[in-house]
Amino acid sequence: DGGITQSPKYLFRKEGQNVTLSCEQNLNHDAMYWYRQDPGQGLRLIYYSQIVNDFQKGDIAEGYSVSREKKESFPLTVTSAQKNPTAFYLCASSIRTSAVYEQYFGPGTRLTVT
Amino acid sequence: GQQVMQIPQYQHVQEGEDFTTYCNSSTTLSNIQWYKQRPGGHPVFLIQLVKSGEVKKQKRLTFQFGEAKKNSSLHITATQTTDVGTYFCAGPGEGYQLIWGAGTKLIIKP
């Protein structure tokens, strides 16, 4: 089955620690995205990548970093510089980066930082 | 900057009643997408509208794109418990981004 996997489903960290969220897709999609979702709000774009070794900042990139070394993988690191990291993080992919293509989402990772 | 506003934030209905969510953009949209997110789940693509005045139906769901391509709506007829979730609209923003509405949460009253 093709799809997007994110791990882990739940993640707990202490303040001041960096944490990396995994995202893998086997859909052969060029574009990948990271969103943050807070209760009662829409999705806010953190980073996106059009192709391997290329990525762009979204609206809320501060305190986050990404890499795209392989087409299938787009890990997100939440650094200690992110002031309010507790949130639901969603990874998505689409055939290409354009708003005309539907986005496919992974199951998400719920990060709690205390 | 460009915004996509979605109302209402919540809608409580009795099972069998209709549900409608509205999406308004500050700018003309080339297209608009709708997604559904079940409680505890992730967004799932429902449909894309492209043409001015377009109306598309999926069983009990009716999607409309306004004539000016600045607004859209989703109407569900005779809601069922399986319809519970949050419905999002999303339109193209700067670059390759989708700009998302805040979503409308459909709650079925017991």
Side-chain angles (χ1 to χ4, degrees), chain B residues 5-37:
Chain B
M5 308 298 293
Q6 195 173 352
I7 56 169
Q9 188 175 1
Y10 301 93
Q11 190 166 359
H12 295 76
V13 300
Q14 298 277 5
E15 189 173 4
E17 291 182 337
D18 293 355
F19 162 86
T20 305
T21 173
Y22 300 91
C23 192
N24 293 289
S25 170
S26 56
T27 60
T28 301
L29 301 170
S30 57
N31 60 286
I32 192 160
Q33 297 181 359
W34 285 92
Y35 291 77
K36 176 184 178 181
Q37 185 176 23

Side-chain angles (χ1 to χ4, degrees), chain A residues 17-62:
Chain A
Q17 294 179 334
N18 290 357
V19 59
T20 297
L21 281 57
S22 165
C23 177
E24 303 278 331
Q25 56 101 356
N26 61 3
L27 299 168
N28 199 32
H29 286 172
D30 286 334
M32 297 188 75
Y33 311 82
W34 273 105
Y35 290 97
R36 170 182 172 138
Q37 186 175 34
D38 294 285
Q41 295 191 31
L43 280 66
R44 291 185 290 168
L45 184 66
I46 305 173
Y47 269 97
Y48 67 95
S49 169
Q50 299 178 60
I51 55 172
V52 173
N53 293 323
D54 179 73
F55 46 84
Q56 307 294 330
K57 292 181 179 180
D59 295 328
I60 57 166
E62 186 175 347

Side-chain angles (χ1 to χ4, degrees), chain A:
Chain A
D1 278 342
I4 300 179
T5 56
Q6 290 186 245
S7 60
K9 189 171 183 179
Y10 298 95
L11 192 53
F12 298 89
R13 280 292 182 270
K14 294 289 187 185
E15 209 172 286
Q17 294 179 334
N18 290 357
V19 59
T20 297
L21 281 57
S22 165
C23 177
E24 303 278 331
Q25 56 101 356
N26 61 3
L27 299 168
N28 199 32
H29 286 172
D30 286 334
M32 297 188 75
Y33 311 82
W34 273 105
Y35 290 97
R36 170 182 172 138
Q37 186 175 34
D38 294 285
Q41 295 191 31
L43 280 66
R44 291 185 290 168
L45 184 66
I46 305 173
Y47 269 97
Y48 67 95
S49 169
Q50 299 178 60
I51 55 172
V52 173
N53 293 323
D54 179 73
F55 46 84
Q56 307 294 330
K57 292 181 179 180
D59 295 328
I60 57 166
E62 186 175 347
Y64 300 97
S65 66
V66 294
S67 63
R68 186 94 185 268
E69 296 177 2
K70 298 187 299 181
K71 187 174 185 177
E72 302 79 21
S73 179
F74 191 40
L76 172 74
T77 296
V78 184
T79 75
S80 56
Q82 168 50 232
K83 294 179 181 177
N84 187 18
T86 294
F88 186 41
Y89 290 89
L90 287 157
C91 179
S93 72
S94 61
I95 294 172
R96 279 183 285 283
T97 44
S98 167
V100 301
Y101 297 109
E102 68 180 271
Q103 294 188 5
Y104 294 78
F105 285 82
T109 292
R110 293 190 184 275
L111 173 65
T112 302
V113 177
T114 58

